[in-house]
Amino acid sequence: MTAPDDKPANSAISAVTGEFRDREAERRFRHDHMGETIAQARFLFGLGAVVSGVFLAANLALTEAALAPVILARGAVAAASLIGLLLVSRLAERWVQPLIIGWAGTVILASAFLQTVQPAIGEVAVFLVPALVYLVMPTMFAATVAMALAGSVVMFATHAGWDALTGAELRIAVALVLTNALFGVLKSRSGRLLRKTWCVAASHRQTLAELKTSRDMLEQTFMAVPTPLVITALDNGRIIKVNEAAEHFNGIPAAELIGRSSVEFYADPGDRAVLTNRLRAEGVVRGFRTNVRMQDGGERAVLVSAGRIGTAADATIVTNIIDITEIEKRERRLIAAKSEYQALFENSVVGIYRSTPGGKMLRANPALVRFNGYSTESELIAAVDDIAAEWYVQPGRREQWLQLMREHGRVTDFVSEVYRHRTRERVWISENSWTVYGDDGETLYFEGTLIEATDRKRAEAEYQHMASHDQLTNLANRWLLMERLQQAGAWVQRHGGRFAVLCVDLDRFKPVNDAFGHATGDLMLQEAARRLRSVCRAEDTVARIGGDEFAVLSTSFAEPRDLAVTAQRILDVLAVPFVLDGPRAVIGASIGIAIAPSDAIEAKDLLARADEALYLAKADGRNCYRFADPSLENVRMDPLPQVAAGS
């Protein structure tokens, strides 16, 4: 139970009632004393029952009729005492005082009644009843005074009667008033003293409880600290107390550690002497570096912080141990890595850099310095003010790189065309970059490597050209034609318009190839490809899609008649005789024309429709063109004047 503080509680005690003015303080006081109250009530009830029982037995032994009222009164007191004795320990706290008051009322009324039938008890009973109420009733001041005054009035009234008061009766009344006043003052003073004593005792209990709580908390804190704590004697190093972390650190139970000398755990016993000397001089030592022996025979590097407690005679040392073995290993690895990185930075044949998000160069290794045409790192850093404007050939390329860095934190194989900063020579490079962040997650700078990729870009371009072009004629191959047909189809579906494909098959090529040989046939195909390009628009795609099969993708015609003009030009230019290393050959061509989206929109479907039209042209005698759409059969061009093969 926590009581109010001593001083406030004393100052809050009423000088009249001797009780706390604060209801909650008074309630706590009565709650703490409820056991005593109940014990006192049991004594009252028990005494009342015994005394009433004795007198009742004596009265019952007599046979006088006048004793019947006396027996009734004493029987009432005995019954009330027994009921109180039975209930007082079973009732809730708030009903104990009403029970005592009820019992006291019964005693007062019974005493008054006895005085009417036995006047011999006289003045003694008049003074005895209020005195007993004050002295033995464990009730609140107001209830006690009220019961005593009520008892005094009732007893005096039954003693004096209702006639005019005599001088003796007036003196009794005055004495009765003085008696109540005296006992009221005694009741108030005793209550005040009792409450002061309770405040002191409660304050003492609270102090002891807080002291115990502090000790328990200190003990729990000592044991719960995650780093080893050891308390040793300053003079001889004997271990007095350790926490759980100290047990786990060395693998030795506390019971085995306590009593041992701490000196045996120092790898160098002289370190302990140095530490204790510093403690004697300074009182506190922080960050003392030493090595300690472990249970398994190994050693650990530790930082020791210690403080001296107590007088010189019985001084102790509280030591906190921090294991820094792994930290020192990491530091050594970091130093080695830094050294390796510096060597790599200086000697790498790959360019290595560090730059700010704003485009300023911070570091550059010798390879990058040489790449940009400078002699020293400081020279390059001083020369570069804005990487975006001064280095990248393509405008906005640096912003594309920054966007990738913001999204992913790193960029791999970012290929760009750049200037060698000093000479302004244009070359291709490949960058691998990453972002270095601060503790707050903000970007500090960028780091990366670069290698020249000019030869790679040239090789990629050559490979791409080889993959998409016919090796004999250098025209687009079937794959590239299909790719561009798909692109054209997607454009038309999104934006409208139309495009067409013309399938061209050389007539009488096989007999020439068989007669003059494959080498001559290859020359004829190369010449046919040159003639096709010469009569097609620059934006048209001319492709070789088979042995002697060609195709033209046209995306810039206004009417089908424009396609007929192109087809007729092709027929005319291929009809010119071929002179190839001596032999002279005459071939022709058949052409099929399909228009998207009216004939088809998918690449393979449109090419199939053009192929169908091609076979119609062959069926109609060759050396002509046909549309896949029969409704365009009337779209014809009169033969144009013959075009020279070299034109």
Side-chain angles (χ1 to χ4, degrees), residues 236-275:
N236 58 17
R238 183 177 57 84
I239 297 174
I240 299 171
K241 188 176 182 63
V242 298
N243 69 347
E244 293 180 2
E247 293 183 72
H248 297 153
F249 174 68
N250 212 323
I252 303 175
E256 297 180 19
L257 283 172
I258 293 173
R260 293 174 64 173
S261 173
S262 61
V263 178
E264 64 182 274
F265 293 101
Y266 283 87
D268 181 358
D271 284 353
R272 204 262 172 186
V274 173
L275 177 63

Side-chain angles (χ1 to χ4, degrees), residues 47 67 161 249 261 319 336 342 426 545:
L47 182 62
L67 293 177
F249 174 68
S261 173
T319 304
Q342 189 64 30
R426 291 169 60 161
I545 60 175

Side-chain angles (χ1 to χ4, degrees), residues 16 37 107 194 276 563 571 591:
V16 176
T37 301
V107 172
L194 189 61
T276 54
L563 297 173
L571 292 176
I591 302 174

